[in-house]
Amino acid sequence: MPSTTRPGPAIRTLPEPAGLPEPLPEPAVEDLRLETVLGALSDPLRLTIVRKLLLESEAFDHTCGWFGLDRPKSSLTHHFKALREAGVTRQRQYGLERRSHVRVADLEARFPGLLALVAAWTPDES
């Protein structure tokens, strides 16, 4: 019996606008490690953040307030930093706020199909 695959949700990638601030420190593409990326994605909140960026982005990058997460700012700062340091997201400083987006091209180059799995993941509603 032939296998059938269902296409997953469409990942939204928006073009990078001109004149962006420099990204905050992050690993180079060649330094991305699967175990580090998977470690960052092992937390359900971080997985939710990445999935939302992949599927629902309305702009090139987003502030942490856009996610509508009911968590203390210090907790969110920790989670966004973990994603950036693992190389999953890129963050830029705009005045007093930081905005994030997923490093889609970099992650697809290193780990093809990983982001499709993240996009297809369904959060536990309990």
Side-chain angles (χ1 to χ4, degrees):
M1 175 181 260
S3 68
T4 58
T5 58
R6 289 183 11 212
I11 293 174
R12 298 182 77 178
T13 55
L14 300 169
E16 184 171 311
L20 293 175
E22 286 297 311
L24 296 176
E26 63 186 30
V29 178
E30 61 273 8
D31 295 332
L32 295 176
R33 301 281 310 166
L34 183 60
E35 65 273 18
T36 305
V37 170
L38 291 177
L41 294 174
S42 68
D43 182 277
L45 179 63
R46 292 194 290 261
L47 195 54
T48 299
I49 289 168
V50 174
R51 183 176 184 272
K52 185 170 176 98
L53 282 170
L54 289 172
L55 300 179
E56 300 175 27
S57 282
E58 300 164 349
F60 178 71
D61 51 12
H62 293 280
T63 64
C64 63
W66 174 78
F67 295 88
L69 300 168
D70 187 25
R71 299 287 173 96
K73 185 173 181 181
S74 60
S75 172
L76 292 176
T77 299
H78 163 75
H79 289 292
F80 280 97
K81 181 180 179 185
L83 289 168
R84 177 177 51 83
E85 289 181 344
V88 177
T89 60
R90 174 166 289 144
Q91 286 188 306
R92 289 184 166 86
Q93 189 81 33
Y94 294 82
L96 297 176
E97 66 184 17
R98 289 184 177 180
R99 297 182 190 170
S100 303
H101 73 270
V102 178
R103 295 174 60 182
V104 173
D106 295 344
L107 291 167
E108 281 300 310
R110 291 284 288 147
F111 314 114
L114 176 64
L115 294 179
L117 293 172
V118 172
W121 172 72
T122 305
D124 184 9
E125 299 296 326
S126 58

